[in-house]
């Protein structure tokens, strides 16, 4: 007997099919929301799919995510526009600071050098050895791990994180790269995390007598003032609404150059900054010289920047000088007979070695000679500043170069 399936009999199957399609589509969208991937279309476009199609898919997903995660009409759209403008300006500010301020330590270096050698941001990613906050003493090394992904480690950590390293190891550059990575990750998200990069050398305002009871207030006011010193209007609005963003758990504080804070009340200021954890900050990341870090201040996860290995040395010199010359210079720099071999493991001095080679077509004989070309470039760039001392000229300029070259490494 042949059984014929009528439309009336098939109706439940159609309903079930439509239900399954809707369920699967909803599940996929929720996964995209959870993992913050509304901008996947642009990423796919750079690989294989047609850019227009992938861009359209990314735009549609972004709209769906915005609708699902933060409905709120025009008010939400206006605030989202401010947040995305703030994120975009962060990267522009980092790039402009590295190029325009030759005597300001803005990218992990004493000064920035010529753009063709000292590029903004790291060329070769550093390797970090991470330690859980509770580990001290002999067992700490056993539980440590190596990682290249500082952002992932920061976002997974439940404690404040401090990046430690020797001078020139790239602590400030590491924090700046965290900013860049967070911007790339959050720029097209409807409720993005907002990184705030602050340089602790500017934390100089006098502390009131009742600072203990006002620690959180003092710390937040310092952050607000740091934001308000920026020219972008978006940064001003982030400062004005900082309490709201903290309440939403969307602020990531990046506090650079802990060791540059005032020494007379260093412990007090560090205690005040630690109160940012209790203000609703999503994450807290410090950078400090390893020898200046007070491990007993409060609970930290440590990320120690590792010295460059031979592969990283070759990679950086190849990037700076070209493939053939870079490999040759790397062999000379890493040779056992080279007195400056230890400097090659430090990213800053390795860059200086490459910079010296571009001018002299050889490696320096000693540290003083290495710094001489560096100092000359610094002074030439510094003369373009309107506040450069007029007294340093002529013969005085030559003497200044010689003295600075000898003192630069001290």
């Amino acid at each position: 007997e042949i059984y014929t399936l009528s439309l009336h009999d098939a109706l439940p199957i159609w309903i079930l099919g439509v239900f399954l399609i809707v369920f699967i589509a909803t599940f996929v969208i929720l996964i995209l929301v959870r993992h913050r991937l509304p901008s996947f279309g642009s990423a796919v476009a750079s690989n294989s799919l047609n850019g227009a199609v992938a861009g359209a898919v990314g735009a549609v997903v972004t709209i769906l995510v915005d609708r699902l995660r933060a409905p709120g009409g025009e008010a939400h759209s206006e605030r989202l526009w401010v947040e995305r403008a703030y994120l975009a300006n962060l990267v522009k500010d980092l790039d402009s600071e590295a190029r325009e301020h030759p005597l300001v330590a803005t990218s992990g270096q004493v000064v920035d050098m010529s753009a063709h050698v000292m590029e903004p941001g790291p060329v070769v990613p550093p390797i970090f050895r991470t330690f859980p906050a509770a580990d001290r003493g002999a067992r700490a090394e056993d539980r440590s791990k190596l990682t290249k992904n500082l952002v992932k480690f920061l976002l997974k950590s439940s404690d404040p994180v401090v990046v430690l390293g020797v001078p020139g190891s790239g602590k400030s550059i590491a924090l700046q790269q965290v900013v860049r990575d967070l911007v790339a990750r959050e720029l097209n998200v409807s409720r993005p995390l907002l990184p705030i990069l602050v340089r602790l050398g500017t934390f100089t305002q006098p502390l009131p007598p009742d600072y203990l009871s006002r620690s959180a207030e003092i710390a937040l006011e310092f952050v607000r003032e740091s934001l308000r010193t920026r020219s972008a209007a978006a940064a001003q609005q982030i400062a004005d609404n900082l309490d709201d963003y903290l309440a939403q758990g969307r602020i990531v504080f990046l506090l650079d150059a802990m060791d540059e804070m005032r020494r007379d009340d260093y412990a007090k200021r560090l205690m005040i900054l630690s109160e940012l954890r209790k203000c609703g900050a999503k994450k807290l990341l410090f950078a400090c010289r390893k020898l200046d870090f007070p491990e007993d201040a409060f609970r930290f996860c440590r990320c120690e920047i590792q010295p460059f290995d031979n592969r990283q040395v070759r990679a950086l010199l190849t990037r700076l000088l070209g493939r053939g010359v870079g490999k040759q210079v790397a062999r000379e720099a890493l040779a056992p007979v080279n007195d400056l071999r230890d400097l090659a493991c430090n990213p800053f001095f390795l860059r200086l070695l490459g910079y010296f080679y571009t001018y002299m077509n050889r490696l320096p004989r000693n540290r003083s000679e290495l710094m001489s070309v560096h100092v000359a470039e610094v002074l030439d760039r510094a003369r373009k500043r309107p506040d450069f001392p007029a007294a340093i000229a002529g013969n005085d300029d030559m003497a200044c170069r010689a003295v600075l070259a000898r003192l630069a490494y001290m």
Side-chain angles (χ1 to χ4, degrees):
E1 183 178 1
I2 299 175
Y3 177 76
T4 304
L5 185 66
S6 67
L7 179 62
H8 180 271
D9 294 328
L11 186 59
I13 298 177
W14 282 98
I15 293 175
L16 179 61
V18 171
F19 175 81
L20 287 176
I21 292 173
V22 173
F23 177 81
I24 293 172
T26 304
F27 181 76
V28 170
I29 291 174
L30 289 177
I31 290 179
L32 292 174
V33 171
R34 181 178 178 181
H35 291 276
R36 299 173 176 268
L37 292 177
S39 60
F40 79 100
S42 60
V44 175
S46 63
N47 294 328
S48 58
L49 294 182
N50 179 271
V53 175
V57 172
V60 170
V61 175
T62 299
I63 293 172
L64 291 175
V65 171
D66 289 348
R67 297 284 185 180
L68 287 172
R69 296 193 62 181
E74 295 181 1
H76 168 69
S77 299
E78 181 178 353
R79 176 167 285 197
L80 181 59
W81 182 90
V82 170
E83 294 163 0
R84 290 178 176 173
Y86 169 76
L87 292 173
N89 286 330
L90 277 178
V91 175
K92 293 180 181 178
D93 289 345
L94 291 178
D95 291 343
S96 63
E97 286 177 359
R99 295 187 180 99
E100 296 174 5
H101 301 283
L103 293 183
V104 177
T106 58
S107 43
Q109 307 138 6
V110 177
V111 293
D112 75 306
M113 303 297 287
S114 298
H116 68 285
V117 176
M118 304 301 283
E119 303 176 10
V123 174
V124 178
I127 297 175
F128 304 90
R129 182 172 292 278
T130 64
F131 300 86
D135 283 348
R136 293 290 185 271
R139 293 189 58 192
E141 194 73 20
D142 297 335
R143 297 189 59 189
S144 66
K145 298 180 180 179
L146 294 177
T147 184
K148 291 183 179 180
N149 195 333
L150 184 56
V151 171
K152 182 178 180 180
F153 180 80
L154 172 65
L155 295 180
K156 291 179 64 175
S157 174
S158 58
D159 295 299
V161 177
V162 59
V163 175
L164 300 174
V166 300
S169 59
K171 301 178 294 296
S172 295
I173 285 183
L175 262 65
Q176 291 184 14
Q177 189 60 35
V178 169
V179 171
R180 296 173 189 274
D181 291 345
L182 284 174
V183 168
R185 180 181 184 270
E186 303 290 326
L187 188 58
N188 291 320
V189 176
S190 62
R191 288 171 57 85
L193 294 177
L194 302 173
I196 298 179
L197 178 62
V198 179
R199 295 180 175 86
L200 295 182
T202 63
F203 187 23
T204 58
Q205 57 263 44
L207 301 181
D210 59 343
Y211 73 91
L212 285 175
S213 60
R214 298 175 53 200
S215 295
E217 175 189 344
I218 295 171
L220 288 178
E221 187 57 31
F222 165 61
V223 173
R224 288 192 187 94
E225 290 303 315
S226 298
L227 285 170
R228 290 179 179 131
T229 58
R230 302 176 186 176
S231 58
Q236 313 287 333
Q237 297 190 46
I238 297 296
D240 294 340
N241 297 283
L242 184 59
D243 291 337
D244 292 341
Y245 288 119
L246 286 169
Q248 297 171 23
R250 295 171 56 193
I251 297 296
V252 178
F253 287 119
L254 301 102
L255 308 175
D256 190 18
M258 182 193 299
D259 48 275
E260 294 180 7
M261 288 194 300
R262 292 172 46 168
R263 294 293 171 174
D264 54 345
D265 52 5
Y266 184 89
K268 296 178 182 178
R269 294 179 183 273
L270 186 55
M271 186 275 297
I272 289 172
L273 294 170
S274 70
E275 292 298 306
L276 291 172
R277 293 183 301 167
K278 304 175 183 179
C279 298
K282 177 74 173 179
K283 297 297 175 182
L284 195 57
L285 178 63
F286 288 83
C288 184
R289 291 183 180 180
K290 188 174 181 178
L291 294 179
D292 294 330
F293 175 63
E295 295 194 18
D296 58 346
F298 58 95
R299 185 182 175 96
F300 276 102
C301 289
R302 294 173 293 149
C303 289
E304 297 183 1
I305 300 179
Q306 302 301 290
F308 270 10
D309 56 26
N310 291 357
R311 180 190 59 80
Q312 290 172 302
V313 171
R314 286 191 293 268
L316 180 55
L317 289 176
T318 298
R319 177 68 180 271
L320 296 177
L321 303 175
R323 186 175 182 85
V325 176
K327 287 186 175 181
Q328 174 190 341
V329 175
R331 285 194 296 269
E332 296 178 16
L334 295 172
V337 297
N338 182 18
D339 293 336
L340 302 182
R341 181 183 181 185
D342 292 341
L343 294 184
C345 299
N346 184 293
F348 172 65
F349 289 104
L350 181 60
R351 287 173 178 264
L352 291 186
L353 286 171
Y355 184 74
F356 186 96
Y357 195 92
T358 61
Y359 273 76
M360 309 298 293
N361 202 32
R362 63 174 176 83
L363 290 177
R365 300 182 182 88
N366 50 54
R367 293 175 180 175
S368 179
E369 188 178 39
L370 169 65
M371 302 308 297
S372 63
V373 173
H374 173 62
V375 167
E377 174 68 15
V378 172
L379 289 176
D380 290 341
R381 293 172 64 84
R383 286 194 190 91
K384 300 176 183 178
R385 294 173 58 120
D387 56 348
F388 184 74
I392 304 179
N395 294 331
D396 291 338
D397 178 60
M398 297 300 296
C400 181
R401 291 189 182 196
V403 172
L404 288 177
R406 291 183 177 275
L407 293 178
Y409 187 74
M410 297 179 62

